[in-house]
Amino acid sequence: MATKTSRASKAPGYKCAECGWTTVKWVGRCGECQAWGTVEETGTAVARTTAATTVVEPARPIAEVDATTAAFMPTGMDELDRVLGGGLVPGAVILLAGEPGVGKSTLLLDVAAKFARTAQDVLYVTGEESAAQVKLRAERIDAVAESLYLSAETDLGQALGQVEKIEPRLLIVDSVQTLSSADVDGSAGGVSQVREVAASIIAAAKRRNMTTLLVGHVTKDGSIAGPRLLEHLVDVVCQFEGERHSRLRLLRAVKNRYGPTDDVGCFDLNENGIEGLADPSGLFVSRTKDPVSGTCITVTMEGRRPLLAEVQSLLAESPNSQPRRATSGLDSSRVSMLLAVLQQRAGTLLHKDDSYVATVGGVKLSEPATDLAVALAVASAKARKPLPVRLIAFGEVGLAGEVRPVPGINQRIQEAHRLGFTHAVVPASHTGPGPVPAGFSVREVSHLTEALSLLIG
């Protein structure tokens, strides 16, 4: 029988404490994560495998592999299933990252309870809270189930022992940065510890065909904390986003081995827990009985999902020589550019007015397709003339005042029609807007002045 031999030696080296990048000489800046002052001297182990071992399980033709063992299991939350591509896959390891307080623990506790109510054993390992604290939150959001087990552990060996004893179908670790291994030097959350914890949990998940959900911390710039190796090892990486003062939460898949990464799940975080929003557009549109100048409805695409949002603008004569430009939910530099285009290309004088441009409901609009709606809202506020009711507008506006086509024109129109809108101002394109619903009017424009003359005069 062939034996496995290896040769290892210790050589002086340097490693980044943030991402684990290694180099043979010291440098002041990490070549991977570009952080300053994080490269420290360490011993780099160099190993080489020289012989193969006996094959325990021979390779099989792909046609003979049973794929039914990796079928999707619904989580009970349609919005989460949408992002994951259909549900949870046995043996899959999913990393959920987000800002503190965004609702990651609440979401996973709700998922754990729904999964446990299907007579499946679920183990929830918490390293940040006690079991009693988790129980209080579970009672508040109605997430108590017989098959849901809680374990407050920070030791990796103890957590794996709980897995051996309970043998759950679903494992939730909150969070991966709080566990540590006694066999590895360093404190919990360090590069070496996170690498060891993640590798051990992933190995257990694959061996037991156990679905695993890991909670990950994020750095101050929004990226996932720890080594990038963590993102490469897991099967799915999801980002949970939302403003602290808003109820809306968005879930995006950054990496997904089992489905698309261009879909978005919408959730409502309230005092009773977290709920999926199949139709979240109502959160971003104001409910006013009479038309008001300075408002315009647009349709933005979050992944493959169209969402209606309202842009509001207010202009006031400035007492200062330098007018104020304030924005909320929009890119301030892009709004300043649109104000300049309105003045230079459309003759809308704004150099003496303070401008305030914001979105409704705390939604953030970063897509260039919202340019036309912002421009129309500002022009409507300047003319003090409201836009027609049941109207939407979208399109990218260039520095020359041209309105450029955007992707998903027909999909945006269909969504607006479904929600009761009857008119749309869209960019002119060589392919046209596509099939238009009955009773829906579409006006194509190629320049900003066409849209202004059509709607405001």
Side-chain angles (χ1 to χ4, degrees):
M1 182 179 66
T3 59
K4 181 179 180 181
T5 62
S6 63
R7 177 169 53 86
S9 62
K10 277 285 188 179
Y14 299 87
K15 182 170 67 173
C16 175
E18 291 290 335
C19 67
W21 176 74
T22 58
T23 179
V24 296
K25 62 179 181 179
W26 183 86
V27 291
R29 188 177 188 180
C30 174
E32 177 68 23
C33 66
Q34 305 300 315
W36 288 96
T38 59
V39 179
E40 302 172 350
E41 184 176 2
T42 183
T44 305
V46 181
R48 183 176 301 165
T49 302
T50 59
T53 59
T54 303
V55 175
V56 178
E57 184 177 352
R60 292 178 293 168
I62 190 172
E64 298 179 6
V65 176
D66 184 12
T68 58
T69 58
F72 286 107
M73 300 180 296
T75 63
M77 302 187 72
D78 294 339
E79 292 299 302
L80 180 58
D81 292 343
R82 174 202 292 267
V83 176
L84 296 179
L88 300 174
V89 176
V93 181
I94 302 167
L95 176 63
L96 178 65
E99 297 284 344
V102 75
K104 302 183 298 296
S105 300
T106 303
L107 173 64
L108 294 186
L109 185 58
D110 193 38
V111 170
K114 285 182 168 62
F115 197 82
R117 287 167 185 155
T118 62
Q120 310 267 20
D121 288 340
V122 179
L123 174 60
Y124 191 105
V125 178
T126 172
E128 300 181 349
E129 300 174 283
S130 66
Q133 291 173 321
V134 177
K135 172 68 180 301
L136 288 177
R137 188 169 70 250
E139 290 177 341
R140 177 174 59 86
I141 66 175
D142 190 23
V144 178
E146 286 291 332
S147 301
L148 175 57
Y149 297 86
L150 294 179
S151 175
E153 293 289 352
T154 57
D155 182 73
L156 175 62
Q158 293 290 331
L160 293 177
Q162 296 283 5
V163 172
E164 293 282 345
K165 183 178 180 179
I166 298 174
E167 298 184 353
R169 289 295 305 276
L170 175 63
L171 170 65
I172 298 176
V173 178
D174 186 10
S175 65
V176 69
Q177 279 88 1
T178 59
L179 292 183
S180 61
S181 173
D183 300 328
V184 178
D185 295 333
S187 59
V191 174
S192 301
Q193 286 288 356
V194 171
R195 183 185 291 113
E196 176 66 19
V197 169
S200 301
I201 292 177
I202 291 172
K206 301 300 181 183
R207 184 174 66 254
R208 295 177 168 277
N209 208 28
M210 171 184 63
T211 305
T212 303
L213 292 168
L214 304 177
V215 175
H217 294 168
V218 296
T219 60
K220 60 183 179 181
D221 61 351
S223 59
I224 300 175
R228 293 301 300 269
L229 178 67
L230 179 61
E231 298 179 52
H232 291 293
L233 287 176
V234 299
D235 301 307
V236 182
V237 179
C238 293
Q239 287 276 3
F240 204 41
E241 307 168 357
E243 290 292 326
R244 184 177 296 272
H245 304 293
S246 173
R247 292 169 49 181
L248 176 70
R249 298 293 185 266
L250 298 179
L251 181 66
R252 308 175 191 271
V254 181
K255 169 190 175 182
N256 193 352
R257 290 175 178 166
Y258 311 113
T261 58
D262 56 353
D263 218 334
V264 176
C266 298
F267 298 88
D268 180 18
L269 182 65
N270 52 55
E271 61 276 5
N272 298 321
I274 191 165
E275 301 174 356
L277 291 176
D279 191 7
S281 296
L283 294 176
F284 315 136
V285 179
S286 62
R287 309 292 187 186
T288 56
K289 296 181 179 180
D290 301 322
V292 180
S293 62
T295 65
C296 184
I297 309 296
T298 187
V299 185
T300 182
M301 297 293 293
E302 291 288 349
R304 295 182 299 173
R305 189 173 193 172
L307 296 176
L308 265 69
E310 181 175 341
V311 178
Q312 295 185 339
S313 175
L314 176 65
L315 300 179
E317 186 176 351
S318 178
N320 306 316
S321 58
Q322 185 70 25
R324 184 180 181 184
R325 305 290 190 240
T327 61
S328 176
L330 297 160
D331 184 15
S332 58
S333 59
R334 194 159 190 90
V335 172
S336 298
M337 182 200 74
L338 292 171
L339 295 178
V341 172
L342 276 169
Q343 178 155 313
Q344 294 299 115
R345 304 298 183 184
T348 304
L349 300 180
L350 303 170
H351 61 285
K352 294 183 179 180
D353 294 327
D354 291 334
S355 65
Y356 304 86
V357 186
T359 59
V360 171
V363 64
K364 288 187 176 181
L365 301 180
S366 57
E367 192 186 16
T370 61
D371 288 352
L372 185 57
V374 173
L376 290 176
V378 173
S380 171
K382 180 64 177 179
R384 296 185 180 180
K385 181 179 179 181
L387 297 174
V389 294
R390 301 185 183 276
L391 170 83
I392 62 162
F394 55 84
E396 181 182 357
V397 178
L399 291 178
E402 77 279 13
V403 181
R404 301 172 181 172
V406 295
I409 292 179
N410 187 258
Q411 191 175 0
R412 298 173 200 255
I413 291 175
Q414 297 292 339
E415 178 69 8
H417 176 260
R418 186 182 70 85
L419 295 175
F421 290 80
T422 57
H423 305 277
V425 179
V426 304
S429 63
H430 64 281
T431 58
V436 178
F440 197 92
S441 174
V442 176
R443 182 64 179 266
E444 294 184 86
V445 295
S446 57
H447 198 273
L448 181 59
T449 54
E450 294 183 42
L452 295 180
S453 62
L454 175 67
L455 300 176
I456 300 176

